[in-house]
Amino acid sequence: MNKTNSHAEISNDFDSQEQDLRLQVFKAVRNYYQHKFPAPKFTAGETYLPVSGKVFDEAELLNLVDASLDFWLTTGRYAAEFEKRFAKWMGVKYCLLVNSGSSANLLALTALTSPKLGDRRLQSGDEVITVAAGFPTTVNPIFQNQLIPVFVDIQLSTYQIDVAQLESALSSKTRAIMIAHTLGNPFDIEAVVGFAQKHDLWLIEDNCDAVGSLYQGQKTGTFGHLSTVSFYPAHHMTMGEGGAVLTSDPLLKKIVESLRDWGRDCWCAPGHDNTCNKRFEWQLGDLPYGYDHKYTYSHIGFNLKMTDMQAAIGIAQLDKLPNFIARRRENFDFLKQQLRDLQDFLIMPEPTIGSEPSWFGFLILVKETAPFTRNELVKYLEQKKIGTRLLFAGNLVKQPAYKDLFYRVIGDLHHTDQVMEKSFWLGVFPRLNEEMLIYIASTIREFIGDSVNE
């Protein structure tokens, strides 16, 4: 069924009674939205300001209900539409929806271990260059595939990989690079891509923080062999849970799809059979000739599909995405301007040269010479109802989960430790308005003033 995201028109595929009933439901949903979700009010010092959150209107709720009325509980028409539209928006050939950004990272890295890649496949003991300053699920798939992470440091102010350490990280076992565009700021893509090409390495971009970020005018998530996106409520757009793997490589697309869908060799969509027109004519592995292709498996896979109800929300969010990105940039720039006179105490975030970030957060690092600590400032902000977050796991190698695992470290990760001990970030997501940002900045200024005068 061809279906748009408009609910003013009902598809002719429905009979007249169903069309009428759906319109009645949609009218009730609009009324419910107006009652349930009135415009929020802000009172400084009383209304909590989170660092992130979902931004939606009645369109998302209408799509969610529309999908639920089909009672198609797995991937379906909305997912197919989203994959097509999002791939086009990003500038890649393929988008494969999954149930989370973390699953997207797992699939992207696991895909590189596929036997279908021949001599280029990653195998147990191979090394993957990454950073320790970030979110665990960028690194966890490396461990989960019996590979060895090689941790390099980051640069201050951009908080992206220190590309000067790439050559030191290289060994005869190095086969891939997997790093994130942390908090929406692109890493030095020219240097990383050049290094990967020079040494014939796979590159995975974790683009979960950075949907809409540009590097030399091109969207991040389009430079690597594979990239990943998250649709968790904290991110640039949401489906509640959800994520995607992006690629323009047909073979990698087929591998990711197989791994996502139980490891099967068949590529039929749910509810469809015999797309290949030879369902009972395959000869694969040691199976008998003609064994049902729907039950033939070429990978040790998972079931990480998304539901159509989630994808329905994503369709409505995708229409809003350009505005979401613009608002994040505006909020970042406004907050930085508001805090410009505090640079004796705080290091402000800087975009990577040649980039135009789609900011996920505003990272602040408290200087060594400041008369206060990061923890004191964060505690004060939280008391004033201003949400804060640390840079995720800080230094991953100091987390208890990684204590007994094997990895390599380049240098002493000094900047990573500084970020772990002295930084935090504030929100710039679209629901924060100028009044709220002024309150955030004035509260920081108030705290610093009191600290200096003590």
Side-chain angles (χ1 to χ4, degrees):
M1 175 176 60
N2 295 323
K3 181 81 167 60
T4 70
N5 65 323
S6 170
H7 296 278
E9 301 177 2
I10 301 295
S11 171
N12 290 329
D13 290 353
F14 300 131
D15 62 40
S16 59
Q17 183 177 9
E18 185 172 350
Q19 290 180 26
D20 182 60
L21 289 170
R22 285 196 178 231
L23 287 173
Q24 291 180 49
V25 171
F26 295 158
K27 181 178 179 180
V29 169
R30 291 188 180 95
N31 290 336
Y32 178 83
Y33 171 82
Q34 295 298 328
H35 171 77
K36 178 68 175 179
F37 302 105
K41 297 178 180 179
F42 170 66
T43 303
E46 296 182 12
T47 307
Y48 186 73
L49 297 178
V51 296
S52 60
K54 56 189 180 291
V55 179
F56 67 101
D57 58 28
E58 66 177 37
E60 284 81 356
L61 199 57
L62 285 164
N63 277 17
L64 178 60
V65 171
D66 186 40
S68 70
L69 291 175
D70 293 342
F71 209 66
W72 185 263
L73 301 181
T74 184
T75 295
R77 60 185 174 97
Y78 271 111
E81 181 182 350
F82 183 91
E83 287 179 333
K84 180 179 179 180
R85 287 182 55 187
F86 192 67
K88 182 178 181 180
W89 187 88
M90 283 293 301
V92 297
K93 289 184 180 179
Y94 309 111
C95 167
L96 296 157
L97 282 173
V98 296
N99 61 355
S100 73
S102 299
S103 292
N105 280 341
L106 176 62
L107 287 176
L109 195 280
T110 305
L112 300 183
T113 70
S114 170
K116 292 184 179 293
L117 297 176
D119 292 341
R120 291 208 68 194
R121 69 180 293 202
L122 302 187
Q123 299 190 60
S124 178
D126 286 343
E127 294 181 348
V128 181
I129 296 173
T130 188
V131 298
F135 200 75
T137 56
T138 308
V139 172
N140 289 351
I142 304 172
F143 288 115
Q144 290 160 340
N145 280 280
Q146 290 79 53
L147 305 168
I148 301 171
V150 180
F151 293 109
V152 301
D153 209 353
I154 58 172
Q155 297 173 319
L156 296 187
S157 74
T158 65
Y159 306 102
Q160 306 308 309
I161 186 171
D162 183 355
V163 294
Q165 292 190 349
L166 286 173
E167 290 292 345
S168 298
L170 187 70
S171 80
S172 60
K173 296 182 179 180
T174 307
R175 302 295 304 281
I177 304 170
M178 185 171 182
I179 45 178
H181 302 290
T182 304
L183 293 182
N185 197 12
F187 54 75
D188 185 340
I189 293 176
E190 184 176 9
V192 171
V193 169
F195 179 80
Q197 291 175 343
K198 177 182 177 181
H199 298 287
D200 194 26
L201 306 177
W202 295 106
L203 174 60
I204 298 175
E205 293 176 77
D206 181 336
N207 202 50
C208 293
D209 285 2
V211 172
S213 290
L214 303 176
Y215 182 83
Q216 296 181 359
Q218 181 176 334
K219 286 190 177 83
T220 58
T222 62
F223 293 90
H225 298 93
L226 294 152
S227 68
T228 60
V229 177
S230 173
F231 302 122
Y232 190 71
H235 287 278
H236 288 63
M237 57 173 287
T238 188
M239 301 182 187
E241 298 288 351
V245 180
L246 308 177
T247 187
S248 291
D249 185 308
L251 177 56
L252 290 177
K253 181 258 187 183
K254 184 178 180 181
I255 293 169
V256 171
E257 196 169 40
S258 172
L259 287 165
R260 181 193 65 181
D261 300 354
W262 306 284
R264 65 180 186 167
D265 200 71
C266 173
W267 55 86
C268 291
H272 294 270
D273 294 329
N274 206 24
T275 305
C276 63
N277 292 317
K278 48 185 266 183
R279 177 180 171 186
F280 300 105
E281 299 174 24
W282 289 86
Q283 174 69 66
L284 296 171
D286 295 325
L287 295 169
Y289 172 80
Y291 196 83
D292 190 346
H293 194 227
K294 284 182 70 71
Y295 293 97
T296 301
Y297 301 90
S298 52
H299 293 96
I300 307 300
F302 313 92
N303 179 9
L304 301 175
K305 296 190 300 300
M306 171 182 284
T307 69
D308 219 42
M309 288 178 282
Q310 291 172 279
I313 297 169
I315 289 291
Q317 288 271 291
L318 188 54
D319 291 333
K320 299 177 174 69
L321 183 55
N323 182 62
F324 287 168
I325 293 167
R327 290 285 298 132
R328 285 177 175 274
R329 289 175 176 151
E330 291 167 5
N331 285 349
F332 181 95
D333 291 343
F334 184 83
L335 191 55
K336 191 168 183 179
Q337 179 69 14
Q338 288 287 306
L339 298 174
R340 69 189 184 283
D341 59 332
L342 300 178
Q343 296 190 60
D344 288 343
F345 310 99
L346 308 173
I347 295 177
M348 302 297 170
E350 296 292 340
T352 298
I353 294 173
S355 75
E356 186 179 354
S358 174
W359 294 101
F360 184 66
F362 191 97
L363 188 66
I364 294 172
L365 192 140
V366 176
K367 289 186 173 181
E368 295 274 359
T369 54
F372 55 88
T373 67
R374 184 270 310 278
N375 287 356
E376 289 170 341
L377 176 51
V378 163
K379 184 177 179 180
Y380 185 83
L381 291 172
E382 293 285 350
Q383 288 173 345
K384 296 292 185 177
K385 304 292 186 180
I386 296 170
T388 64
R389 291 290 185 273
L390 304 186
L391 188 58
F392 309 126
N395 184 343
L396 278 171
V397 303
K398 296 190 176 182
Q399 289 279 349
Y402 304 88
K403 182 178 179 181
D404 298 318
L405 301 182
F406 183 74
Y407 49 81
R408 288 202 300 121
V409 175
I410 305 304
D412 58 7
L413 301 181
H414 176 63
H415 288 162
T416 300
D417 283 340
Q418 281 187 275
V419 167
M420 176 181 63
E421 295 164 0
K422 298 182 179 301
S423 77
F424 69 98
W425 58 274
L426 300 165
V428 293
F429 75 111
R431 203 166 71 219
L432 298 176
N433 59 33
E434 194 169 292
E435 179 186 9
M436 297 170 182
L437 296 173
I438 289 173
Y439 171 67
I440 291 171
S442 63
T443 303
I444 294 174
R445 190 174 293 106
E446 176 185 274
F447 170 82
I448 292 178
D450 291 344
S451 299
V452 170
N453 293 327
E454 282 184 354

